[in-house]
């Protein structure tokens, strides 16, 4: 555990066991943005980032039972079965991207693969227009790296997304009459809570959260993975010779490069963590990348081992009730 | 990722990286060594 006084003060949780424990005790370590404590009247900022995100991240920044109600709405679309049914389409997009450049003898993994693929797959799977992939990806990369102008880029993306979703809401009855299968977006647009449709702003927030979770993280990991395998041709040859190692290799890349490096929680009750007494209202930043580098869990963590036997225990997707919904889409087996 | 990795290994297994163009996205690595951080207050 470490501590920083910045952004109102927060503890940094670095050990695997401590990080996993926090993720599995949602009643004690909350995600909500506006939490109230008896000893500190008035509302307090929470959320899952330090500093707080300018935009609420859908159910990621809600606590049970509300978070689970929203999660249940879309969870069936991220089940192993649903993702398996999507495999032919995913393979088609991958092949198309490689086909575009294979004949040139040169490829820019970022521009040609790692940037377009996650954006195209996310938009396609969620049921959004593919032609906007570059704009959406650009705004989300800027936001992830807190580049200058990122707040404006995200605001523009949200406005664009809101307009697109409003249009899709209008045409939803038509699609259903034609027997078109529901997409993730259609599911949200058609969902009701207490007999009323989900408000547009909630649908926009949910879809933004899904895009944000799936695009920049995957782009970073794909680029890191191919960079690493390019620098280690023996490992790449090992994989090429034995493709059954690929799933374990992807998990090792997720462990080693952990694209989402941290997630925050707010303490709701007195608790001891890593030898530190925490009080309600304290903020903790879970260093996921550090947890995945913990030698007590992953011996010789700086060594990349494509056949590491426990690397699927990594926390790159989080763990517990808020585990990344898109894990099966990001890591299809 | 698995679908993409298999496709790349199958179709361009001997690719070589132009190191001068790497680092478009900074790689961030974490360590569990917190010796350079201020220790958390025990209470």
């Amino acid at each position: 555990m470490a501590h920083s006084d910045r952004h109102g003060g927060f503890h940094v949780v670095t050990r695997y066991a401590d990080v996993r424990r926090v993720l599995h005790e949602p009643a004690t370590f909350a995600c909500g943005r506006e939490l109230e404590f008896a000893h500190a009247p008035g509302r307090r900022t929470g959320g899952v980032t330090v500093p707080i995100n300018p935009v609420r991240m859908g159910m990621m920044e809600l606590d049970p039972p509300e978070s689970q109600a929203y999660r249940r709405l879309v969870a069936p679309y991220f089940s192993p079965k649903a993702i398996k049914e999507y495999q032919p389409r995913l393979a088609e997009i991958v092949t198309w991207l490689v086909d575009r450049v294979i004949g040139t003898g040169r490829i820019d993994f970022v521009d040609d693969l790692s940037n377009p693929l996650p954006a195209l797959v996310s938009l396609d799977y969620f049921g959004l227009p593919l032609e906007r992939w570059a704009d959406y990806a650009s705004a989300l990369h800027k936001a992830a790296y807190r580049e200058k102008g990122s707040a404006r880029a995200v605001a523009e993306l949200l406005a664009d997304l809101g307009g697109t979703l409003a249009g899709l809401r209008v045409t939803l009855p038509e699609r259903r009459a034609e027997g078109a299968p529901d997409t993730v977006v259609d599911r949200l647009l058609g969902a009701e809570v207490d007999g009323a449709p989900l408000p547009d702003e909630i649908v926009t927030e949910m879809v933004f959260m899904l895009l944000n979770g799936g695009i920049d993280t995957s782009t970073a990991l794909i680029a890191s993975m191919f960079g690493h395998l390019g620098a280690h041709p023996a490992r790449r040859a090992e994989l090429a010779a034995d493709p059954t190692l690929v799933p374990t290799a992807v998990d090792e890349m997720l462990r080693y490069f952990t694209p989402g490096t941290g997630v925050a929680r707010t303490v709701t009750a007195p608790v001891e963590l890593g030898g530190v007494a925490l009080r309600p209202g304290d903020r903790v930043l879970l260093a996921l990348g550090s947890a995945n580098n913990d030698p007590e869990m992953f011996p010789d963590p700086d060594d990349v081992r494509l056949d590491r036997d426990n690397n699927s225990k990594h926390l790159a997707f989080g763990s517990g009730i808020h585990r990344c919904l898109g894990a099966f889409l990001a890591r299809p087996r | 990722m698995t679908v993409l990795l298999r496709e790349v290994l199958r179709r361009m297994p001997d690719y070589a990286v132009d190191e001068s163009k790497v680092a478009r996205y900074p790689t961030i690595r974490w360590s569990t060594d917190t010796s350079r951080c201020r220790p958390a207050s025990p209470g």
Side-chain angles (χ1 to χ4, degrees):
Chain A
M1 296 274 282
H3 185 273
S4 169
D5 294 328
R6 299 196 65 184
H7 306 298
F10 61 96
H11 296 273
V12 183
V13 187
T14 58
R15 292 288 179 187
Y16 181 93
D18 292 335
V19 169
R20 191 173 187 283
R21 177 187 163 197
V22 170
L23 293 170
H24 282 265
E25 293 184 16
T28 308
F29 300 96
C31 296
R33 286 165 74 95
E34 295 175 332
L35 302 167
E36 195 161 12
F37 300 99
H39 73 283
R43 298 183 89 73
R44 184 186 167 89
T45 298
V48 299
T49 59
V50 178
I52 194 164
N53 266 317
V55 180
R56 189 171 74 171
M57 300 304 291
M59 61 205 173
M60 277 180 71
E61 294 194 317
L62 294 171
D63 291 300
E66 206 178 3
S67 60
Q68 301 317 100
Y70 283 115
R71 190 176 174 101
R72 277 193 295 274
L73 284 177
V74 292
Y77 293 84
F78 297 94
S79 69
K81 178 175 177 289
I83 298 302
K84 188 175 181 185
E85 288 171 1
Y86 184 69
Q87 289 299 290
R89 174 67 172 163
L90 174 60
E92 187 183 3
I93 295 174
V94 167
T95 302
W96 177 73
L97 284 170
V98 175
D99 283 348
R100 288 169 68 218
V101 292
I102 191 80
T104 67
R106 293 182 62 82
I107 185 167
D108 184 316
F109 275 113
V110 173
D111 287 342
D112 298 326
L113 287 181
S114 72
N115 193 28
L117 180 64
L120 285 169
V121 169
S122 297
L123 294 177
D124 186 56
Y125 195 68
F126 299 159
L128 291 166
L130 294 185
E131 62 268 21
R132 301 307 313 277
W133 77 263
D135 297 327
Y136 284 18
S138 173
L140 291 168
H141 296 324
K142 281 183 181 175
Y145 294 97
R146 307 254 169 184
E147 284 182 16
K148 190 177 179 185
S150 63
R152 192 179 66 186
V154 168
E156 288 172 359
L157 186 157
L158 282 168
D160 186 285
L161 187 58
T164 300
L165 292 170
L168 287 170
R169 189 188 284 283
V170 170
T171 56
L172 178 61
E174 198 177 306
R175 288 195 298 285
R176 286 191 164 164
E178 291 169 354
D182 266 1
T183 61
V184 176
V185 162
D186 283 349
R187 167 78 166 169
L188 289 169
L189 291 172
E192 292 188 349
V193 173
D194 297 330
L198 285 184
D200 284 348
E201 60 269 25
I202 295 290
V203 176
T204 303
E205 191 182 300
M206 290 279 285
V207 175
F208 177 75
M209 176 207 71
L210 292 170
L211 291 172
N212 188 63
I215 292 183
D216 183 78
T217 49
S218 301
T219 292
L221 183 66
I222 292 169
S224 298
M225 177 170 72
F226 286 116
H228 178 86
L229 292 176
H232 297 83
R235 284 192 186 128
R236 193 180 54 205
E238 185 186 359
L239 274 180
D242 183 4
T244 64
L245 285 174
V246 164
T248 322
V250 168
D251 271 326
E252 183 69 347
M253 293 292 108
L254 281 159
R255 182 195 72 79
Y256 189 73
F257 290 111
T258 312
T261 52
V263 65
R265 295 288 189 266
T266 304
V267 176
T268 64
V271 65
E272 185 174 311
L273 182 70
V276 178
L278 300 174
R279 297 168 303 176
D282 283 353
R283 299 274 287 150
V284 290
L285 177 66
L286 311 180
L288 301 176
S290 171
N292 286 342
N293 206 47
D294 186 341
E296 288 184 15
M297 183 65 188
F298 304 106
D300 302 316
D302 284 328
D303 289 348
V304 170
R305 298 180 186 166
L306 301 183
D307 59 349
R308 189 184 285 275
D309 61 6
N310 71 341
N311 60 13
S312 65
K313 304 281 188 193
H314 67 73
L315 299 175
F317 294 124
S319 191
I321 65 168
H322 286 280
R323 185 174 189 268
C324 174
L325 261 179
F328 285 109
L329 187 57
R331 190 188 58 179
R333 293 195 174 216
Chain B
M1 245 84 74
T2 52
V3 174
L4 175 64
L5 181 52
R6 283 197 183 102
E7 183 77 350
V8 169
L9 291 172
R10 186 175 69 83
R11 299 182 66 184
M12 48 183 103
D14 56 348
Y15 75 85
V17 173
D18 180 350
E19 292 296 336
S20 70
K21 294 187 176 176
V22 175
R24 294 270 302 276
Y25 291 84
T27 297
I28 302 169
R29 300 275 292 126
W30 289 72
S31 168
T32 49
D33 176 9
T34 57
S35 60
R36 286 180 295 175
C37 303
R38 182 167 74 76
S41 160

